[in-house]
Amino acid sequence: MTAITDLVIVGGGPAGCAAAVMAASVGMRSVLIEPDALCAKLRHIAAINNVVGGRASGPELTAAIAEDVARAGLCEVDLGARATEVRAHDDHVAVTTDTGRTVSGSYAVVATGVGPVSVSAAPWLTVAAGTDPPTLWGAKVPEAGAGFLLVVGADRPLGTFLRAHPALDATVLVAYPPEDDYKVDEVRGDARVTLLPVAHLSVSADGDSGFTAEWVDRDGHPCSGTADAVYVNLGSAPVPPPGDLVPDPSGYCPPDRQHPRIITAGDLRSARFQRIMAATGSGSEAALRAYYGLRGVQSAKHGGSPY
């Protein structure tokens, strides 16, 4: 089955949803393709402090965004479909999904975001076979009597996690490599946090529902300890769909590297701007770029009207 529209949106997070709403506001038809629910990751953020509009939690913000997309009218939402190929042509972009559908649009906004970095991708970390710690993102932890929690890596979800659990009665041990040194500033002042700057860390299950950690500190000294629970917090990596997207050396897909009819938005663009408001702004801007492209309006640097 083939559908033809003005704009194909790949990814239903904040950036993709913002693109759909903006496109509808200027009269553009769109098809939004998302393998999960709209803003599925956002639902797991219990506390949000960096968006305007008074939304205090991920579920509240998710519901508001979904309502906005539903009201958009000109957007068809195709949930449960994953883009398996994005191909750019001179006059259109074709997006194929794992449901056997092809959607062709004059432009495509690709906002598939990022996924968690795997343990195998961290050279400073060894996790024993049979030990399968969950990611900190969206983790549910008892509010009282949690004991010692070991968080492996100091990526941004750590600060969100601590804000979301203000009554957490636990010692949070944060083991992190040199490249995460700047990231601990957000949590350094939390009395529950003990920072463990490491050169290497090994984690294994001890057979008694707990975990053993052995690490080498930055001075080369061997250390060890135990924890009641372990959570992985190694950061994220871009997950562009196969096809004609052009990544940079880090795997991200900056807009200025793409075919003129493919516009990337949200976290897929860069590791530096991974914030909810930045994502929604970029999604809105991407839809406007497509709109001006359809109207033949060029950017100011090419002698046309500014966007």
Side-chain angles (χ1 to χ4, degrees):
M1 182 174 64
T2 300
I4 300 175
T5 188
D6 295 321
L7 185 65
V8 187
I9 303 169
V10 185
C17 290
V21 172
M22 179 59 74
S25 75
V26 292
M28 292 175 64
R29 297 169 298 126
S30 66
V31 176
L32 189 157
I33 299 168
E34 165 57 46
D36 203 331
L38 294 181
C39 297
K41 294 180 181 178
L42 187 57
R43 296 171 185 267
H44 297 291
I45 304 178
I48 296 176
N49 67 345
N50 62 352
V51 298
V52 296
R55 304 294 177 182
S57 73
E60 290 176 306
L61 183 56
T62 297
I65 291 174
E67 290 174 4
D68 289 342
V69 173
R71 284 196 298 267
L74 294 176
C75 177
E76 175 198 339
V77 179
D78 188 357
L79 297 181
R82 183 180 302 276
T84 56
E85 186 177 60
V86 177
R87 292 295 179 193
H89 303 273
D90 290 340
D91 59 352
H92 72 283
V93 179
V95 179
T96 304
T97 73
D98 58 1
T99 61
R101 185 186 193 193
T102 298
V103 184
S104 294
S106 298
Y107 288 85
V109 172
V110 181
T112 48
V114 296
V117 171
S118 66
V119 169
S120 62
W124 60 277
L125 175 64
T126 301
V127 175
T131 303
D132 188 22
T135 59
L136 185 66
W137 185 265
K140 294 182 179 180
V141 176
E143 289 290 324
F148 289 86
L149 307 182
L150 173 62
V151 177
V152 181
D155 203 57
R156 286 190 301 109
L158 176 59
T160 301
F161 169 80
L162 291 170
R163 289 192 298 272
H165 298 86
L168 177 65
D169 181 17
T171 298
V172 181
L173 308 171
V174 181
Y176 59 98
E179 55 265 31
D180 281 4
D181 282 349
Y182 74 97
K183 297 180 181 180
V184 300
D185 290 340
E186 183 180 359
V187 300
R188 192 184 300 276
D190 195 306
R192 297 168 292 179
V193 171
T194 297
L195 298 176
L196 302 175
V198 304
H200 189 271
L201 173 72
S202 296
V203 179
S204 60
D206 64 14
D208 296 320
S209 300
F211 299 85
T212 297
E214 298 179 342
W215 66 93
V216 178
D217 68 19
R218 303 286 178 81
D219 296 321
H221 300 136
C223 308
S224 64
T226 60
D228 298 288
V230 177
Y231 299 93
V232 175
N233 185 40
L234 299 177
S236 53
V239 286
D244 289 338
L245 275 87
V246 181
D248 64 14
S250 66
Y252 287 90
C253 299
D256 59 2
R257 283 178 170 253
Q258 310 310 313
H259 186 281
R261 291 190 177 274
I262 295 178
I263 309 166
T264 54
D267 291 356
L268 184 63
R269 300 171 303 154
S270 167
R272 294 188 174 186
F273 303 106
Q274 294 183 4
R275 300 291 190 274
I276 296 169
M277 280 202 294
T280 55
S282 72
S284 300
E285 181 182 351
L288 285 177
R289 285 184 59 188
Y291 170 75
Y292 289 124
L294 281 171
R295 298 299 182 270
V297 180
Q298 297 185 2
S299 64
K301 68 179 181 180
H302 293 126
S305 300
Y307 289 3

